[in-house]
Amino acid sequence: MKDCILYYDSGTSNTRAYLLDRDFQVRYTVKKAVGSKDSAIAGSNRVLIEGLWELYNNVLSANELEEGDISAIYASGMITCAYGLKEVPHLALPITVEELAGGLVPFLEDTLFHREIILVPGLKTVHDDITFVNNMRGEEIEIVGALDELQSAGAPSDLALILPGSHTHVTCLQGEQITGIISNFTGELFHAIQKDTILSPVLQWDGSPPDREMVLKGYENLEKFGFNRALYICRAMDAFGEGMPRQRFSYGEGVILGGVRQSLEYYCKNFWPHCRTAALVSDEFMYRLFSILLEDSPFIDQVLWLPVSDGKSYGVSGLKKILSAKQR
C-alpha cells in the first residue's frame, strides 16, 4: 500500500490517527490519550509532538510502511490552538468549502517529523458584541464531511447542524456555506458537575434511552426557574428518593442541554429565520435526547440524524471533500 495519507484528529485530551488510501478509505486507525490539554499542563507542546510521532510510527509499523509511503499528513482540531502544534487563526464566517480549502496552513514540524504537516484551521463568527462571538476547532471538518450525507437524505438547504460534545456547537448551513455558529458549554459542564459535586450519583448513565417526560420536566424547570434552581431540583429528587435513576439522569440532561435549545431558538428568531430543521451528528442517545428537547419547539419542525460510529469518521469525509475542492 503506497501513496497513503495520514490524518490526525486531535482534541483537548485525545488524538486519533487515520491511515487513508488514495481513495480516502480508512485502512487503519489508532488512538492515544494526548492532546492540547497536555501541552498546556506541561507548558510545552513537546508532549503533543511526541504523542503524534508515536502514533505515526505505530501506523507505519502496523502496516509495514516506510515514511516515503506517506504522501501527505493532515491534521485538524485543537492541534491548531495556542497549546497545539501551531496556533492558526480562525477563519471568519460565512465561508464555503472552497474558501476553507484555500485556508489550509502548511507547517514544517522540525522536531521529530522533519516534514510538513498541513493544518485545517478552525472557524469563528465576527461581531462587535462579544455576546455573539463563537468559535470552533475540529468541528468544521466534520461539518464539511456531513454535507453530502445531508444532501442525500433530502435535507433542506437551510438547517441547524448540532454537534454535541465538550462544547456543543450548532452551525447554520445554507447549502454548502457555513454562515453561523452557536457555541455552548455542555459536555465539560456535565463532566464537572458529575465529577465534583453532590450530584455525582444522579448523573450516572446506565445506557438506557432518555425518559421523555423527565427530559421535558428538566427543560420546563430551566425555563421557569433558571439553571441553578432547576439543577437543585435534581438534587432534591435524589435526596427524597423521587423517581428512578434513569428519570433523575434524564431530568439533569434536560436542564443542562436545555440551554442549547434556548440559544438555538434565540438565533432562529433573530438571525436564522429560514432555519426550520435541525440535524444531529451524534450517537443514538443524543439524537433521542435532542429530538425530545426540540419536539415542541415553535422554531424547529423536524430533527434529522447522522449517526456516528467507530467505523465512520465525518472528519475523514470532510478532509476528502476539502481536498477535492482545493484541486478544482
Side-chain angles (χ1 to χ4, degrees):
M1 186 166 52
K2 308 289 184 180
D3 196 25
C4 300
I5 290 174
L6 187 71
Y7 165 55
Y8 288 114
D9 178 2
S10 186
T12 303
S13 304
N14 296 285
T15 298
R16 186 180 293 274
Y18 294 89
L19 178 67
L20 312 175
D21 64 22
R22 64 187 67 190
D23 297 317
F24 285 84
Q25 296 300 306
V26 178
R27 295 303 182 183
Y28 183 77
T29 181
V30 61
K31 181 180 178 181
K32 181 175 175 61
V34 66
S36 58
K37 176 187 69 177
D38 301 284
S39 298
I41 293 171
S44 166
N45 68 355
R46 175 80 190 204
V47 63
L48 176 60
I49 295 171
E50 289 176 351
L52 298 173
W53 180 245
E54 181 182 328
L55 290 170
Y56 180 65
N57 285 288
N58 181 302
V59 169
L60 293 179
S61 62
N63 294 275
E64 299 182 347
L65 297 174
E66 298 179 355
E67 289 193 50
D69 297 324
I70 306 296
S71 62
I73 303 176
Y74 293 88
S76 67
M78 293 299 287
I79 201 166
T80 63
C81 79
Y83 300 110
L85 188 60
K86 173 184 170 60
E87 186 171 14
V88 176
H90 296 85
L91 299 177
L93 298 187
I95 195 168
T96 63
V97 177
E98 289 76 13
E99 289 167 339
L100 179 56
L104 298 181
V105 176
F107 170 68
L108 177 62
E109 200 301 292
D110 209 22
T111 304
L112 294 174
F113 285 82
H114 304 291
R115 65 178 297 174
E116 189 175 82
I117 299 176
I118 302 172
L119 306 175
V120 181
L123 303 178
K124 67 177 181 180
T125 57
V126 179
H127 201 284
D128 292 337
D129 184 346
I130 192 65
T131 304
F132 300 103
V133 173
N134 300 273
N135 67 88
M136 61 172 60
R137 290 191 189 271
E139 290 82 7
E140 71 292 320
I141 198 167
E142 295 182 86
I143 294 165
V144 173
L147 292 174
D148 289 344
E149 189 167 331
L150 286 168
Q151 187 176 18
S152 298
S157 57
D158 288 41
L159 60 82
L161 187 63
I162 303 174
L163 297 97
S166 297
H167 301 86
T168 295
H169 296 286
V170 185
T171 59
C172 182
L173 300 179
Q174 294 181 301
E176 293 203 345
Q177 186 179 50
I178 304 170
T179 61
I181 303 171
I182 316 169
S183 300
N184 300 269
F185 196 63
T186 52
E188 282 196 289
L189 175 62
F190 183 95
H191 177 73
I193 295 171
Q194 182 191 59
K195 181 176 180 290
D196 292 320
T197 75
I198 200 169
L199 288 178
S200 179
V202 181
L203 299 180
Q204 301 295 329
W205 182 46
D206 63 2
S208 59
D211 182 287
R212 175 181 174 276
E213 180 180 346
M214 295 309 294
V215 170
L216 293 177
K217 187 68 173 177
Y219 180 72
E220 175 189 338
N221 284 341
L222 174 68
E223 289 271 273
K224 189 184 299 182
F225 301 118
F227 181 79
N228 288 345
R229 169 64 185 157
L231 196 61
Y232 181 83
I233 293 169
C234 197
R235 161 63 181 153
M237 292 170 64
D238 182 47
F240 296 103
E242 181 72 22
M244 300 299 290
R246 171 174 172 250
Q247 294 174 308
R248 295 193 286 265
F249 178 85
S250 297
Y251 175 91
E253 285 281 31
V255 174
I256 294 171
L257 288 175
V260 179
R261 170 177 166 174
Q262 290 176 320
S263 62
L264 173 59
E265 290 186 341
Y266 181 90
Y267 271 69
C268 287
K269 179 180 179 180
N270 294 282
F271 304 117
W272 305 347
H274 303 296
C275 176
R276 304 290 309 181
T277 296
L280 267 290
V281 176
S282 70
D283 59 20
E284 184 176 0
F285 178 83
M286 279 295 169
Y287 166 65
R288 291 191 180 196
L289 182 60
F290 274 98
S291 294
I292 294 168
L293 277 171
L294 295 170
E295 67 181 29
D296 64 343
S297 171
F299 297 95
I300 299 298
D301 298 326
Q302 63 174 335
V303 180
L304 307 177
W305 183 31
L306 278 65
V308 297
S309 67
D310 290 339
K312 182 177 185 178
S313 168
Y314 286 100
V316 170
S317 300
L319 180 63
K320 179 181 180 181
K321 192 172 182 68
I322 288 169
L323 296 184
S324 296
K326 188 174 180 64
Q327 293 169 2
R328 287 202 290 267

